[in-house]
Amino acid sequence: MAELKSGRGPLIRMLPPDEVRAWMRANKPKGQVSKLMTEREAIAKFVRPEQYVGVELYGGVRCPMSLVRELVRQRIGPLDLAGQGVLENDMLIAAGLVRRLDITYHGYEVYGTSPILRRACESGKVQTVEWSNAALAWRFKAAAMGLPFLPVRSMLGTGTFDYSGAKEILCPFTGVKLCAIPALHLDVGLIHVHRADEFGNCQIDGITGFAAEMARASKRLIVSAEEIVPHLEIQKAPDRTLIPYFIVDAVVHAPGGSLPGEMPYLYWRDDAHIKAYMEAVQTEEGAQRYLQEWVHGTRDHTDFVKKLGGEKRLAELRAEATTR
Amino acid sequence: MAELKSGRGPLIRMLPPDEVRAWMRANKPKGQVSKLMTEREAIAKFVRPEQYVGVELYGGVRCPMSLVRELVRQRIGPLDLAGQGVLENDMLIAAGLVRRLDITYHGYEVYGTSPILRRACESGKVQTVEWSNAALAWRFKAAAMGLPFLPVRSMLGTGTFDYSGAKEILCPFTGVKLCAIPALHLDVGLIHVHRADEFGNCQIDGITGFAAEMARASKRLIVSAEEIVPHLEIQKAPDRTLIPYFIVDAVVHAPGGSLPGEMPYLYWRDDAHIKAYMEAVQTEEGAQRYLQEWVHGTRDHTDFVKKLGGEKRLAELRAEATTR
Amino acid sequence: MAAKEAYNKSEMLICSAARQMEDGAICFIGTGIPMLAAALAKRTHAPRLVAAFEFGGMGPDLERLPVAVGDSRTFHRAPVAGSICDLMEAAARGMVEYGFLGGAQIDMFGNLNATVIGDHDKPKVRFPGSGGANDIGSLCWRTIAVMRHGKQRFVPRLDFLTTAGYLTGPGARERAGLAPGAGPFRVVTDLAILGYEPASCRMQVLKLQPGATLEAVRAETGFELLVAADLADNPPPTAEELRLLREEIDPEHLYT
Amino acid sequence: MAAKEAYNKSEMLICSAARQMEDGAICFIGTGIPMLAAALAKRTHAPRLVAAFEFGGMGPDLERLPVAVGDSRTFHRAPVAGSICDLMEAAARGMVEYGFLGGAQIDMFGNLNATVIGDHDKPKVRFPGSGGANDIGSLCWRTIAVMRHGKQRFVPRLDFLTTAGYLTGPGARERAGLAPGAGPFRVVTDLAILGYEPASCRMQVLKLQPGATLEAVRAETGFELLVAADLADNPPPTAEELRLLREEIDPEHLYT
């Protein structure tokens, strides 16, 4: 086994599953109780400095932006971050709230690299540990399965492995070399969904990204939902409950919560706003100006939507939504 | 590592994932082509003696009975079986088609042990290797993930482990002892679903058991469906496609295909028939008489349903179905 | 006892099992007595009890009694209809407090046999096998076994150890790799309610069923039993429990 | 060349990439050129091409161009809208034939850098990172890199090896634990279509883009290139390809 390699890490986050098991037993309500609260209450109640936080989905799609803006408003940091996310993580880094990042991809897709990430990393302010997209999702999956690790077949042979916290192992049955990745538990996970009931039973339309896995890997899970529906609606289609109530800690009603990102089938992304954001963040000053105006300058999510153009702008973006 | 134990096995089925990878590349059509065929064609085309076969779900619920009866009609064996299944596996063993069984549970739930299993095992005709329910589902999951094994936290410390093909390993991150279970690939999987299109995109209503995992772990997958729907219906709700077309090899239209078992939301189980079956199989002769009358004595699934009471009986069972 | 309060052994087992269930907890439920017990508990002291069924159903209203752990009644009006992996992994994460178990044999450490009598490869009796029992015994915090008392069931040595109790005693589960802090909690029989003495992990009598004596329990047990210092009597089924069971839960007497 | 057939470098890259795609195959598609190429291939020689997007979309009609690998256009009228694990695990099972990749640097074995220039912990330039690229390079059968040619991109030694090509040469992927029989297949650039010489796993020029010479390709490549015995010319975009691209696929010129 001497020849088996380890990534040089560090492991920003590695909780023993038995510790998490005991925590889940003690802290999560297992009966159906109402968890409805405002974004302000949810963030204040569950997020603390020094915590490890993660968001879902990716690329400005079904992104928990209303929750992230509130996190910035409350200036809770330093945080460690699970690193998937274009607008969310970008904004948290811009706000100076991030210390370390388990990175997989952080950029603007067709629009290229993130000046915010560049400034943070190139100045040494934010430390990064490398993972692949699937590896990060599989780390959540390991946690969701109640396991300390999963074997996978990505990352082997690369610098991505060398600068990760993964380890090589040999399969006990076939002898093939595999990449072992440690479970990733979030202190707080943020997910935006199409609909939820007051207890936290959630439905998502379209692709589910890594919501199922991340939700189950979160010690505290804050869900924002486009729509709060009666429990009966959940009961009539229990096979659609991707995130069950007993893993949810807070349910926040947030119509337009993904803005300026997209919400599949409901509204298209606000391209003009995203472009303006990207232009603004080219400089550090511009980034701070953006935060000042659009985050600290808005009281809450409702106020943000109003500033974006309110019902009129929303109607335009709804008209551009992808149809079934 | 010397103290780590291994189950005494044998591993009835262990395919190296790289071999399966190459097989999947060469043999599965990746474009959408029609796979509609009769149960007779599907079974004759894909099932061969000496193969390893599995069925889903369990307990007379959403069970691929029409396909299993056709397998008995065509007398294809000896087979090795993944062992979950009340009516399906019971019937295959009764028909003398089964050689070895990766067993987890084989019985009649409230109605007790299966006389067919008892006769087969107590006479030494069928060899069993022990697993837990979840372990078997996780073995399919390992295969579905393209992995040779998964670590799990069941089976440790028990005779179930000792008489399985599992191995103890140590977690490379935490040092805790874990149970490593090998991937389980089926030569042929049989699954009954609520609806499918001609390409094999399938939707299931209600619990999904281990359908997602077993489907992905099958080299050949035969799906029977209550309803064949236009592709457009699938396209309008792509998030409901639990089994995607590219893992399916045959689509068989089988209204009432789970009979005498239940199909959630569509029809309740035929209790009278199931009780008669259970009484019949108390003796070997009774079991053979049942097979002769209800399987070999019916030409195909349509004929079976007719013999069961046809549209009239179906209407009664539909009236008893669980509502949304 | 008044005639209207007469009850059979099944009813006593069901009522006793129901009383072990906690409001607002998630319990893995198997077919038969646990299903009836869960339905009864939901209608009495535990309206927010969440019955979980290993193939994916979770939190059904239990208006109609399931007949199989995968049937549609296990997810009727439920918040979740998932998959076996989903529910078993929730248990692995520590979400499931209770699991109900049965078996052909149990030993003093609460280990269970549901696999074979005799040699595994040429058994005298082949039982159905573990099913989810091994997983429930490995992953849930507390397991409750429901069995008829009898020397052929309460044995000094199992023919086969299907499901982990405390294995060979204190610390053995942890040494085997199972998560700490979990294990057998209660055994509900027609003669007694039993638990486990914390220091030794050995089975002990906590309560006697109506009419049962300690001697009768010992006579029907094949190993030495400990007895709780505060040995008590388990009250008989109440009229209301019996009414619910007979009129609402199992009016067709499928199980009782 | 007639005026109506004038085209820019992006268009040439897109048309060249589209021609690499096979009908009835599943291809992992990233944002940008691969999306346009897939949309073009579906409208020309590969109507049954299945574009797969790592966050769960698979087989969309691509009527409207996605702008992100997770957006709703990646599963519009698709047979499947799944999850990242779902699609990556399908690739691990051998179901995904092609994967498109990009990067800041590539070496002669097709290894790619999309992470940093300079030291990892205090980089000169921090790029977005692997994303799904490492997985695609590890799990798909054949990967196709699409890049502009240039000495700062085609380098003798990567600053960081984000995604596995052939690593250090023949057998290296297998020794690292990656599944056999898979690896880099093509590099599509503005100057050439390149492949890999099977015995050495080294990059070789297969076709020259219109107007490009072997000397120009070599001048823009920082390592020694092999040249296929049957070196050919890649035909320029056809009028029909350009029409589809400009009028149907990207009428707003978001990408070209």
Side-chain angles (χ1 to χ4, degrees):
Chain A
M1 295 276 201
E3 86 283 12
L4 292 176
K5 289 191 284 187
S6 291
R8 47 164 240 172
L11 277 185
I12 300 178
R13 164 52 57 103
M14 171 82 220
L15 298 180
D18 288 340
E19 207 177 292
V20 181
R21 252 180 81 87
W23 192 96
M24 292 292 187
R25 183 190 196 186
N27 293 286
K28 296 288 239 193
K30 311 302 186 308
Q32 298 206 91
V33 293
S34 179
K35 293 153 192 165
L36 276 179
M37 57 186 90
T38 65
E39 70 213 18
R40 185 171 304 163
E41 290 166 338
I43 295 293
K45 185 166 180 189
F46 293 116
V47 191
R48 296 282 172 277
E50 315 277 329
Q51 281 185 333
Y52 191 107
V53 173
V55 300
E56 200 262 357
L57 176 75
Y58 173 85
V61 184
R62 194 170 50 67
C63 38
M65 288 306 293
S66 62
L67 298 175
V68 167
R69 278 187 294 264
E70 181 59 26
L71 189 44
V72 173
R73 265 184 219 109
Q74 297 190 22
R75 300 182 206 268
I76 303 172
L79 299 171
D80 295 327
L81 274 193
Q84 190 74 274
V86 172
L87 297 171
E88 306 94 316
N89 287 5
D90 214 44
M91 201 170 276
L92 292 170
I93 296 172
L97 299 175
V98 179
R99 182 173 59 177
R100 295 179 296 184
L101 182 59
D102 274 315
I103 195 172
T104 165
Y105 177 92
H106 185 119
Y108 299 156
E109 300 204 52
V110 272
Y111 303 107
T113 58
S114 157
I116 287 172
L117 181 77
R118 284 197 61 178
R119 286 193 292 270
C121 290
E122 292 164 18
S123 68
K125 259 196 261 175
V126 170
Q127 188 190 351
T128 55
V129 180
E130 306 294 322
W131 304 91
S132 71
N133 257 5
L136 215 56
W138 284 323
R139 289 188 66 190
F140 289 135
K141 186 165 183 165
M145 293 175 73
L147 296 174
F149 87 99
L150 273 179
V152 304
R153 301 198 77 184
S154 282
M155 304 221 310
L156 293 161
T158 64
T160 306
F161 174 92
D162 294 337
Y163 284 79
S164 77
K167 288 175 191 284
E168 290 178 353
I169 58 165
L170 298 178
C171 170
F173 297 98
T174 61
V176 301
K177 204 183 279 176
L178 297 165
C179 176
I181 53 171
L184 181 53
H185 294 95
L186 299 178
D187 288 312
V188 185
L190 310 177
I191 299 184
H192 188 60
V193 303
H194 286 79
R195 65 198 72 82
D197 66 14
E198 59 174 328
F199 309 127
N201 294 296
C202 302
Q203 297 180 351
I204 287 174
D205 296 342
I207 59 167
T208 57
F210 47 103
E213 293 82 7
M214 198 185 92
R216 286 157 178 78
S218 296
K219 288 172 78 176
R220 293 297 186 190
L221 179 62
I222 304 176
V223 158
S224 55
E226 290 289 328
E227 194 187 357
I228 306 296
V229 296
H231 183 53
L232 187 62
E233 190 168 325
I234 298 292
Q235 289 176 302
K236 284 188 171 177
D239 44 11
R240 296 245 23 227
T241 303
L242 188 81
I243 300 175
Y245 72 92
F246 62 91
I247 60 176
V248 174
D249 293 283
V251 179
V252 178
H253 187 206
S258 182
L259 288 170
E262 182 196 3
M263 196 66 182
Y265 302 126
L266 294 182
Y267 49 84
W268 187 242
R269 59 200 239 164
D270 188 330
D271 266 318
H273 187 91
I274 291 174
K275 271 180 199 146
Y277 169 83
M278 285 176 185
E279 274 159 37
V281 302
Q282 293 301 316
T283 65
E284 178 60 24
E285 299 67 39
Q288 296 313 317
R289 255 199 327 274
Y290 176 91
L291 291 179
Q292 209 47 54
E293 178 176 358
W294 287 95
V295 183
H296 298 294
T298 55
R299 273 190 320 281
D300 55 20
H301 177 58
T302 310
D303 202 33
F304 172 86
V305 173
K306 198 172 143 199
K307 188 172 164 67
L308 205 64
E311 202 41 51
K312 184 168 162 288
R313 183 69 184 130
L314 253 176
E316 289 164 2
L317 299 173
R318 281 196 202 105
E320 284 184 69
T322 298
T323 53
R324 285 258 175 199
Chain B
M1 296 278 200
E3 85 283 12
L4 293 176
K5 288 192 286 186
S6 289
R8 48 162 240 171
L11 278 184
I12 299 177
R13 163 54 55 105
M14 171 81 220
L15 297 180
D18 289 340
E19 207 178 293
V20 181
R21 253 180 80 85
W23 191 95
M24 292 291 188
R25 182 190 199 185
N27 292 286
K28 296 287 238 194
K30 311 302 184 309
Q32 299 207 88
V33 292
S34 179
K35 292 153 193 164
L36 276 178
M37 57 187 91
T38 64
E39 70 213 19
R40 186 170 303 162
E41 288 166 339
I43 296 293
K45 186 168 178 187
F46 292 116
V47 192
R48 296 281 173 276
E50 315 277 330
Q51 281 185 333
Y52 191 106
V53 172
V55 300
E56 201 261 358
L57 174 75
Y58 174 84
V61 184
R62 194 170 52 66
C63 38
M65 289 305 294
S66 61
L67 298 175
V68 167
R69 279 187 293 266
E70 181 59 25
L71 190 43
V72 173
R73 264 184 221 109
Q74 296 191 23
R75 302 182 205 268
I76 302 172
L79 300 171
D80 295 328
L81 275 194
Q84 190 73 277
V86 173
L87 297 171
E88 306 93 316
N89 286 5
D90 214 44
M91 201 170 276
L92 292 170
I93 296 172
L97 299 176
V98 180
R99 182 173 59 178
R100 294 180 297 184
L101 181 59
D102 274 315
I103 194 171
T104 166
Y105 177 92
H106 185 119
Y108 300 156
E109 299 203 51
V110 272
Y111 305 106
T113 56
S114 156
I116 287 171
L117 181 76
R118 284 196 62 179
R119 286 193 291 271
C121 290
E122 293 165 17
S123 67
K125 260 196 259 175
V126 170
Q127 188 190 349
T128 56
V129 180
E130 305 294 321
W131 304 91
S132 72
N133 258 5
L136 215 56
W138 284 324
R139 289 189 65 192
F140 288 136
K141 187 165 181 164
M145 294 175 72
L147 296 173
F149 87 99
L150 273 179
V152 305
R153 301 197 78 184
S154 282
M155 304 221 310
L156 293 161
T158 64
T160 307
F161 175 92
D162 294 336
Y163 284 78
S164 77
K167 287 174 192 285
E168 291 178 354
I169 58 165
L170 297 178
C171 170
F173 297 97
T174 62
V176 301
K177 205 183 276 176
L178 297 165
C179 176
I181 52 170
L184 181 54
H185 294 95
L186 299 178
D187 288 311
V188 185
L190 310 178
I191 299 184
H192 188 59
V193 303
H194 286 78
R195 64 199 73 79
D197 67 12
E198 59 174 328
F199 309 128
N201 295 295
C202 302
Q203 296 179 351
I204 286 175
D205 296 342
I207 58 167
T208 57
F210 47 103
E213 293 82 7
M214 196 185 94
R216 286 159 178 77
S218 297
K219 288 172 77 178
R220 293 297 187 189
L221 179 63
I222 304 176
V223 158
S224 56
E226 289 288 329
E227 195 187 356
I228 305 296
V229 297
H231 183 53
L232 187 63
E233 188 168 327
I234 297 293
Q235 288 175 303
K236 283 188 170 176
D239 44 13
R240 297 244 22 228
T241 304
L242 187 82
I243 300 175
Y245 73 92
F246 62 92
I247 60 176
V248 175
D249 293 283
V251 179
V252 177
H253 187 208
S258 182
L259 289 169
E262 182 196 3
M263 196 66 183
Y265 302 124
L266 295 183
Y267 48 86
W268 187 243
R269 58 198 238 165
D270 189 331
D271 267 317
H273 187 91
I274 290 175
K275 272 179 197 145
Y277 170 82
M278 284 176 185
E279 275 160 36
V281 301
Q282 293 300 318
T283 64
E284 178 61 23
E285 298 67 39
Q288 296 314 316
R289 252 196 332 272
Y290 176 91
L291 291 179
Q292 207 49 52
E293 178 177 357
W294 287 95
V295 183
H296 297 295
T298 55
R299 270 190 322 280
D300 54 20
H301 177 58
T302 310
D303 202 31
F304 172 86
V305 174
K306 198 174 143 198
K307 189 173 164 65
L308 205 65
E311 202 40 53
K312 184 168 164 288
R313 182 71 184 130
L314 254 175
E316 290 163 4
L317 299 173
R318 279 196 202 106
E320 285 185 68
T322 299
T323 53
R324 284 262 175 197
Chain C
M1 216 173 284
K4 70 174 167 93
E5 282 171 351
Y7 52 88
N8 62 32
K9 281 187 181 181
S10 291
E11 289 170 333
M12 190 170 67
L13 281 173
I14 293 162
C15 293
S16 304
R19 293 172 191 168
Q20 311 304 317
M21 298 188 188
E22 198 182 344
D23 196 25
I26 303 176
C27 299
F28 263 125
I29 301 291
T31 320
I33 285 173
M35 280 185 189
L36 290 138
L40 181 57
K42 265 186 93 71
R43 283 167 172 83
T44 53
H45 66 286
R48 278 190 176 154
L49 175 80
V50 181
F53 298 86
E54 59 194 79
F55 284 93
M58 186 167 200
D61 56 12
L62 294 179
E63 267 183 18
R64 296 195 69 181
L65 220 50
V67 297
V69 290
D71 82 33
S72 55
R73 295 170 182 177
T74 67
F75 52 89
H76 184 248
R77 291 287 158 93
V80 188
S83 68
I84 176 167
C85 289
D86 220 18
L87 286 214
M88 289 299 187
E89 292 163 13
R93 294 198 307 275
M95 293 295 193
V96 183
E97 187 65 29
Y98 296 103
F100 278 83
L101 295 170
Q105 297 179 325
I106 190 168
D107 69 14
M108 72 163 79
F109 295 115
N111 302 302
L112 286 159
N113 174 16
T115 304
V116 289
I117 298 292
D119 178 63
H120 176 269
D121 292 346
K122 192 80 193 290
K124 196 158 154 275
V125 185
R126 172 73 223 197
F127 296 118
S130 160
N134 180 291
D135 306 303
I136 288 168
S138 300
L139 303 172
C140 295
W141 289 104
R142 298 191 266 189
T143 55
I144 300 170
V146 183
M147 299 170 71
R148 299 285 172 105
H149 229 112
K151 262 203 148 126
Q152 79 289 9
R153 291 169 190 249
F154 285 67
V155 296
R157 200 183 154 74
L158 303 176
D159 281 57
F160 191 97
L161 200 170
T162 308
T163 299
Y166 288 110
L167 298 175
T168 55
R173 284 177 66 94
E174 292 73 10
R175 284 193 299 277
L178 296 171
F185 175 60
R186 291 286 181 270
V187 186
V188 175
T189 82
D190 47 334
L191 296 183
I193 312 290
L194 305 99
Y196 296 86
E197 195 271 316
S200 65
C201 295
R202 281 176 51 188
M203 203 184 286
Q204 65 174 354
V205 188
L206 301 178
K207 290 182 184 176
L208 294 171
Q209 293 287 26
T213 64
L214 202 51
E215 290 62 44
V217 174
R218 283 191 169 127
E220 294 293 340
T221 302
F223 50 83
E224 197 194 336
L225 277 173
L226 305 180
V227 179
D230 54 348
L231 182 68
D233 285 331
N234 188 42
T238 65
E240 175 63 3
E241 284 173 331
L242 290 172
R243 189 194 65 75
L244 286 166
L245 205 49
R246 291 167 186 173
E247 293 174 21
E248 290 190 17
I249 295 167
D250 188 17
E252 295 159 80
H253 295 277
L254 289 174
Y255 293 91
T256 54
Chain D
M1 219 174 283
K4 71 176 163 94
E5 282 170 347
Y7 52 88
N8 62 31
K9 279 187 182 183
S10 291
E11 290 171 332
M12 190 168 66
L13 280 175
I14 293 162
C15 295
S16 303
R19 294 172 190 168
Q20 311 304 317
M21 297 188 187
E22 199 181 344
D23 196 24
I26 303 175
C27 298
F28 263 125
I29 300 292
T31 320
I33 285 173
M35 280 186 190
L36 290 138
L40 181 58
K42 266 186 92 72
R43 284 168 171 82
T44 52
H45 66 287
R48 279 187 174 155
L49 175 81
V50 181
F53 297 87
E54 59 194 79
F55 284 94
M58 187 169 200
D61 57 13
L62 294 179
E63 266 182 19
R64 297 195 69 181
L65 221 48
V67 298
V69 291
D71 82 34
S72 55
R73 296 170 182 178
T74 66
F75 51 90
H76 183 248
R77 292 287 157 90
V80 188
S83 68
I84 176 167
C85 288
D86 219 19
L87 286 214
M88 289 299 188
E89 292 163 13
R93 295 198 305 276
M95 293 295 193
V96 183
E97 187 65 30
Y98 295 102
F100 278 82
L101 296 169
Q105 297 179 325
I106 191 167
D107 70 13
M108 72 164 79
F109 295 115
N111 301 304
L112 286 158
N113 175 15
T115 304
V116 290
I117 298 292
D119 177 63
H120 175 269
D121 293 345
K122 193 80 195 285
K124 196 158 156 276
V125 185
R126 172 74 223 197
F127 296 117
S130 159
N134 180 291
D135 306 303
I136 289 168
S138 299
L139 303 172
C140 295
W141 289 104
R142 299 191 265 189
T143 55
I144 299 169
V146 183
M147 299 171 70
R148 299 283 172 106
H149 229 112
K151 261 201 149 125
Q152 78 289 9
R153 293 169 189 245
F154 285 68
V155 296
R157 203 183 152 74
L158 304 176
D159 281 56
F160 191 97
L161 199 169
T162 308
T163 299
Y166 289 109
L167 298 174
T168 55
R173 283 177 66 94
E174 290 75 10
R175 284 192 300 276
L178 296 171
F185 174 61
R186 291 284 181 270
V187 186
V188 175
T189 83
D190 49 333
L191 296 183
I193 311 290
L194 305 99
Y196 296 85
E197 195 271 315
S200 65
C201 294
R202 279 178 52 190
M203 203 184 286
Q204 65 174 352
V205 188
L206 300 178
K207 290 181 185 177
L208 293 171
Q209 294 287 27
T213 62
L214 204 49
E215 291 61 45
V217 175
R218 283 187 169 130
E220 294 293 340
T221 303
F223 50 82
E224 196 194 336
L225 277 173
L226 305 180
V227 180
D230 54 348
L231 181 69
D233 286 332
N234 188 41
T238 65
E240 175 63 5
E241 285 172 331
L242 291 173
R243 188 194 66 77
L244 286 167
L245 205 49
R246 293 168 184 172
E247 293 175 20
E248 291 190 16
I249 297 168
D250 188 18
E252 296 158 79
H253 294 277
L254 290 173
Y255 293 92
T256 55

